[in-house]
């Protein structure tokens, strides 16, 4: 017996259209969910990237501050080294070992100093270089019991003392109540400082 289709074709078409519409709706919903998920993922990624950029910028600012501090410390260290070199030049051991100790050995009880002048024209050293050599000199003004004592002092300064060529300027003889004193002045360039002294 032949089959008779009692379902109208329009109903089948509607049903097929509904299925297609449902499938299309599911595809659209899936697309919308996918786009939403992608957007959320991008926003989270952007936030993470922004946080990372802020962290890097903060680290860079900290690094710049530390670099500026290090530069300031290096400049301060260099200035301190320069000042130390200056102090070493101005307050060198050569004054004591090369001038004052030999001068003390040249003295005897018949000589008094009124004035002792040590001249060390200092040329300030450049940073990182040793101090240049300069000519130092010594000037002495004083009194002695007699001219022979002054002569002995000048000879001792030239032979055992710090002077190269002492120049004596004789002074007046001053009479006091019970004695008289001979005034004198000696000036001389000093011998070069021994190696190793500053």
């Amino acid at each position: 017996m032949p089959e008779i289709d009692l379902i109208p074709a329009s109903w089948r078409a509607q049903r097929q259209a509904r299925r297609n519409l449902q499938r299309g709706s599911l595809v659209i919903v899936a697309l919308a969910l996918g786009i939403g998920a992608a957007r959320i993922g991008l926003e989270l990624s952007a936030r993470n990237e922004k946080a990372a950029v802020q962290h890097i910028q903060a680290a860079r600012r900290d690094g710049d501050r530390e670099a500026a501090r290090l530069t300031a410390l290096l400049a301060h260290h260099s200035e301190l080294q320069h000042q130390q070199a200056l102090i070493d030049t101005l307050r060198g051991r050569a004054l004591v070992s090369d001038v004052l100790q030999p001068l003390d050995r040249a003295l005897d009880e018949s000589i008094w100093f009124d004035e002792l002048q040590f001249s060390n024209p200092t040329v300030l050293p450049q940073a990182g270089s040793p101090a240049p050599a300069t000519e130092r000199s010594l000037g002495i003004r004083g009194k002695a019991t007699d001219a022979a004592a002054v002569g002995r002092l000048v000879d001792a300064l030239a032979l055992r003392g710090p002077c190269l060529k002492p120049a004596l300027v004789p002074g007046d003889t001053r009479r006091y109540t019970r004695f008289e004193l001979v005034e004198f002045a000696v000036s001389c360039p000093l011998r070069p400082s021994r190696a190793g002294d500053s």
Side-chain angles (χ1 to χ4, degrees):
M1 161 158 152
E3 291 186 15
I4 299 173
D5 191 6
L6 297 175
I7 300 173
S10 64
W11 183 80
R12 282 192 183 141
Q14 274 183 343
R15 193 170 173 195
Q16 185 64 32
R18 275 189 207 140
R19 278 192 209 129
N20 289 340
L21 187 59
Q22 284 176 350
R23 286 185 198 140
S25 296
L26 288 175
V27 168
I28 290 173
V29 168
L31 272 170
L33 289 175
I35 290 172
R39 182 174 176 185
I40 291 171
L42 286 174
E43 285 180 4
L44 288 175
S45 177
R47 282 184 193 163
N48 290 339
E49 293 298 322
K50 188 175 180 182
V53 166
Q54 289 174 345
H55 180 71
I56 289 170
Q57 288 174 341
R60 182 178 177 185
R61 283 191 300 271
D62 291 343
D64 289 345
R65 275 195 296 272
E66 290 300 318
R69 185 169 176 245
L70 178 62
T71 301
L73 286 174
L74 289 174
H76 184 64
H77 182 261
S78 176
E79 177 62 24
L80 289 177
Q81 283 182 322
H82 180 69
Q83 288 177 2
Q84 184 63 44
L86 176 61
I87 288 169
D88 289 344
T89 300
L90 295 175
R91 189 184 61 184
R93 292 173 295 185
L95 173 62
V96 174
S97 64
D98 289 352
V99 179
L100 297 181
Q101 289 174 347
L103 184 61
D104 182 57
R105 287 192 293 270
L107 284 177
D108 64 31
E109 295 179 4
S110 58
I111 302 249
W112 296 270
F113 289 161
D114 292 332
E115 182 180 325
L116 180 65
Q117 186 174 26
F118 172 70
S119 175
N120 186 14
T122 303
V123 178
L124 300 181
Q126 299 296 323
S129 65
T134 55
E135 185 175 289
R136 305 170 308 151
S137 64
L138 181 66
I140 303 170
R141 281 191 34 234
K143 295 179 180 67
T145 56
D146 55 30
V150 176
R152 286 192 303 271
L153 173 69
V154 171
D155 289 343
L157 289 176
L159 295 176
R160 308 184 304 270
C163 293
L164 287 174
K165 294 180 183 177
L168 173 64
V169 178
D172 297 331
T173 300
R174 298 269 177 166
R175 292 196 182 276
Y176 296 91
T177 307
R178 288 190 259 155
F179 54 89
E180 64 180 39
L181 296 176
V182 177
E183 294 180 339
F184 69 93
V186 177
S187 62
C188 62
L190 296 174
R191 300 180 197 281
S193 176
R194 289 193 298 270
D197 288 339
S198 51

